[in-house]
Amino acid sequence: MALARQDTNVKRRDASGPGQAERFPIVSMVLLALTFIGMMISIWMIFLYAPTDAIEGDAQRIFYFHLPSAIIGMLSLGIVALGGIVYLWKKDERWDWVARAAAELGTVFLTFALITGSIWGRTTWGTWWTWDARLTTTLILWFIYIGYLMLRSYMGRTPASARAGAVLAIIGLIDVPIIYESVNWWRTLHPQAVLPLGSSPQLPLEMLLTLVVAFITFTLLFSFLMVQLYQLEKMQTLAQQLRASVE
Amino acid sequence: MIFFEQVIAILWKDIRYELRSKQMWAGMGLFALLVLVIFNFAFDLRVDNRAAVAPGALWVSFVFASMLGLGRTIAAEREKGSMDRLLLCPVDRKAIYLAKLLGNMLFIGVVEIVALPIFAALFNVPLLLGPLLPIVLLGTLGIAAVGTLFSAMAAATRARELLLPILVFPLIVPIVIAAVRATGTLMVPVSNEPPWLGLMVAFDVIFLSISMLTFQYIVEE
């Protein structure tokens, strides 16, 4: 019976396949073009338009890369959990592809944020790492992402794997604020001169504008990669089902 | 009421199983003690740094020992194929989760009861069992609540011994911080300490309810 269901699944996707296959490249092309334009503008704005920070110097420009990738990397866990919840509710495989793609992208963006943040911290704080609440929470979130990807890769492409991933993402999403609060409390006992990570409120207009453009660019890049990864997940699942139906 | 009868029936089955084998209890207890001994060498515990290091050593040994115990309960069921039979029984999945959680807490608890007096003797710390009891209980509940859920997940994979700590350690960070801090405050009272017990209660309530609700998705085939 399981085989029969797989067969119908494969056929159903074949039937709906061509229409989607024609639509998606257009979306991808538009996103790719927008991302490219955004990147060019961002790079120009970050290195030429934005004024050099009086205290931090040129190192401050890392921030335009660091902040958007960190925020998107964190929000990505929300997409993973959302995809997981809808998957558990509707039992629709496509939501699991969304969750999986978002988890992979979230890991990449968060890794980038950790590396750029570390480089920035070295030049500004004089240390690669400090156990500040925000940094620690980001690192633990990164571990949760890695755990998610490891779990999914060990369990393979099965409904059980999708359900386990959904549960992990939901628990992780609820846990992140609690982790932040606990690390924050823990750190308050060790007074250390940690600068607030957020920029000062009186950010010059040019800097704010650059940050907004960089943020939009990173969001476009995320969307573009998301569409690609979703398609990849879809094709991998299809390939596995075809292989299973042959064997 | 039938719900609690089911919980107790499954729990009693697990207790009898462990009582007959006995290896697990002795192994976990010895492991916890060995971690304490290793910590003694690693940090060179003396009078001046004892208050800072001892709570951490205690909780690290508890967390490591719990991982050993947690990894076993559901994996043993799967190995022998009894998990499928358990799932075939007309039992609420929540009852299975609760029974496994209580069983895990009991096994970890036994290890802790053995390790605590020896910890107090080895490290020469004034151990007030009364105030320490709620901390140990809440901490163990938090570790076991998340750990039981994820041990069911990890048991379905080839690399369960590796995967379980990788999944559980990041999630129990708040519990570890709160338990270590609260234990430390017992040894050296500090004013203006954040409400660690409150954090542990909140963590336990949140993750106990979510784990109970989501356990069914993990064990279903």
Side-chain angles (χ1 to χ4, degrees):
Chain A
M1 202 189 89
L3 195 68
R5 205 187 306 134
Q6 272 174 353
D7 278 336
T8 51
N9 270 352
V10 170
K11 275 187 201 113
R12 184 163 52 81
R13 271 201 212 89
D14 275 343
S16 64
Q20 280 181 329
E22 278 166 16
R23 260 205 317 277
F24 264 112
I26 296 168
V27 175
S28 293
M29 292 302 274
V30 170
L31 277 174
L32 182 64
L34 283 175
T35 309
F36 182 76
I37 296 166
M39 271 181 178
M40 291 300 120
I41 298 173
S42 297
I43 288 171
W44 174 74
M45 283 182 94
I46 290 167
F47 290 107
L48 300 171
Y49 174 73
T52 307
D53 192 276
I55 306 157
E56 296 171 17
D58 277 331
Q60 187 263 345
R61 296 182 201 273
I62 295 175
F63 228 66
Y64 303 119
F65 296 98
H66 172 72
L67 196 66
S69 59
I71 290 173
I72 293 170
M74 285 175 188
L75 291 180
S76 201
L77 185 71
I79 302 177
V80 182
L82 186 76
I85 290 168
V86 180
Y87 175 80
L88 290 181
W89 179 34
K90 300 242 180 187
K91 306 270 175 233
D92 188 342
E93 221 180 344
R94 283 177 295 182
W95 285 99
D96 183 49
W97 300 340
V98 171
R100 221 171 153 146
E104 284 173 17
L105 274 182
T107 314
V108 171
F109 275 70
L110 218 55
T111 310
F112 183 69
L114 282 171
I115 293 170
T116 50
S118 207
I119 297 169
W120 180 83
R122 178 71 193 159
T123 56
T124 311
W125 296 337
T127 172
W128 294 105
W129 185 262
T130 171
W131 294 99
D132 164 78
R134 245 179 275 204
L135 274 72
T136 311
T137 311
T138 312
L139 182 68
I140 291 169
L141 180 56
W142 188 80
F143 281 127
I144 294 175
Y145 272 129
I146 298 291
Y148 180 93
L149 292 180
M150 279 185 76
L151 179 78
R152 298 305 305 270
S153 110
Y154 272 121
M155 290 186 82
R157 265 164 218 286
T158 55
S161 157
R163 284 197 300 265
V167 170
L168 174 58
I170 294 166
I171 292 208
L173 186 68
I174 296 165
D175 209 6
V176 165
I178 303 177
I179 293 171
Y180 179 80
E181 200 50 46
S182 66
V183 178
N184 210 7
W185 284 356
W186 172 64
R187 255 314 167 211
T188 48
L189 290 174
H190 297 247
Q192 236 179 14
V194 173
L195 294 165
L197 267 176
S199 314
S200 49
Q202 60 269 30
L203 205 65
L205 184 68
E206 287 94 345
M207 283 189 176
L208 193 69
L209 217 59
T210 311
L211 195 61
V212 169
V213 171
F215 194 83
I216 293 169
T217 307
F218 268 91
T219 312
L220 283 169
L221 179 67
F222 181 86
S223 321
F224 168 71
L225 291 173
M226 189 76 190
V227 172
Q228 306 309 307
L229 278 180
Y230 177 86
Q231 295 291 85
L232 185 66
E233 291 292 332
K234 185 179 162 181
M235 282 189 272
Q236 280 176 340
T237 311
L238 195 61
Q240 200 195 32
Q241 281 172 349
L242 286 171
R243 207 177 298 132
S245 66
V246 170
E247 275 165 7
Chain B
M1 270 313 99
I2 188 101
F3 179 80
F4 289 104
E5 279 170 28
Q6 290 169 344
V7 170
I8 288 174
I10 301 170
L11 179 61
W12 183 233
K13 170 191 80 71
D14 284 356
I15 291 174
R16 272 182 304 174
Y17 175 74
E18 293 295 341
L19 277 179
R20 278 174 199 166
S21 70
K22 292 192 193 70
Q23 311 148 332
M24 205 56 209
W25 306 71
M28 276 168 73
L30 268 179
F31 180 80
L33 288 179
L34 277 170
V35 173
L36 288 176
V37 172
I38 293 289
F39 254 91
N40 178 49
F41 297 130
F43 288 104
D44 191 14
L45 286 175
R46 287 183 308 271
V47 179
D48 53 329
N49 66 0
R50 212 164 46 198
V53 175
L58 182 72
W59 278 98
V60 165
S61 72
F62 283 177
V63 167
F64 282 5
S66 336
M67 285 303 124
L68 281 183
L70 286 168
R72 251 184 67 91
T73 44
I74 289 177
E77 295 262 21
R78 278 205 193 260
E79 267 170 25
K80 309 270 158 56
S82 58
M83 195 70 194
D84 298 331
R85 287 163 186 82
L86 196 60
L87 290 173
L88 279 175
C89 296
V91 182
D92 193 353
R93 303 287 182 260
K94 293 187 189 70
I96 299 179
Y97 171 76
L98 212 58
K100 287 287 168 198
L101 170 68
L102 288 174
N104 280 331
M105 275 196 76
L106 197 68
F107 302 141
I108 301 169
V110 168
V111 171
E112 286 170 344
I113 287 168
V114 175
L116 271 175
I118 300 176
F119 167 77
L122 278 180
F123 287 64
N124 196 17
V125 284
L127 194 71
L128 307 159
L129 259 180
L132 192 62
L133 203 65
I135 300 172
V136 171
L137 200 69
L138 287 171
T140 311
L141 177 61
I143 295 168
V146 177
T148 307
L149 182 75
F150 283 91
S151 73
M153 246 183 230
T157 66
R158 282 168 289 129
R160 56 168 183 265
E161 288 89 359
L162 177 71
L163 204 54
L164 183 65
I166 288 179
L167 293 176
V168 173
F169 280 175
L171 296 170
I172 58 166
V173 163
I175 277 286
V176 174
I177 293 178
V180 170
R181 280 280 153 199
T183 313
T185 318
L186 275 187
M187 289 177 184
V188 182
V190 184
S191 58
N192 270 337
E193 191 73 2
W196 293 118
L197 278 182
L199 180 80
M200 285 161 92
V201 171
F203 185 95
D204 290 355
V205 169
I206 291 171
F207 286 100
L208 189 61
S209 20
I210 299 171
S211 304
M212 271 182 93
L213 289 174
T214 51
F215 185 70
Q216 48 170 328
Y217 296 115
I218 289 173
V219 288
E220 257 171 42
E221 289 296 330

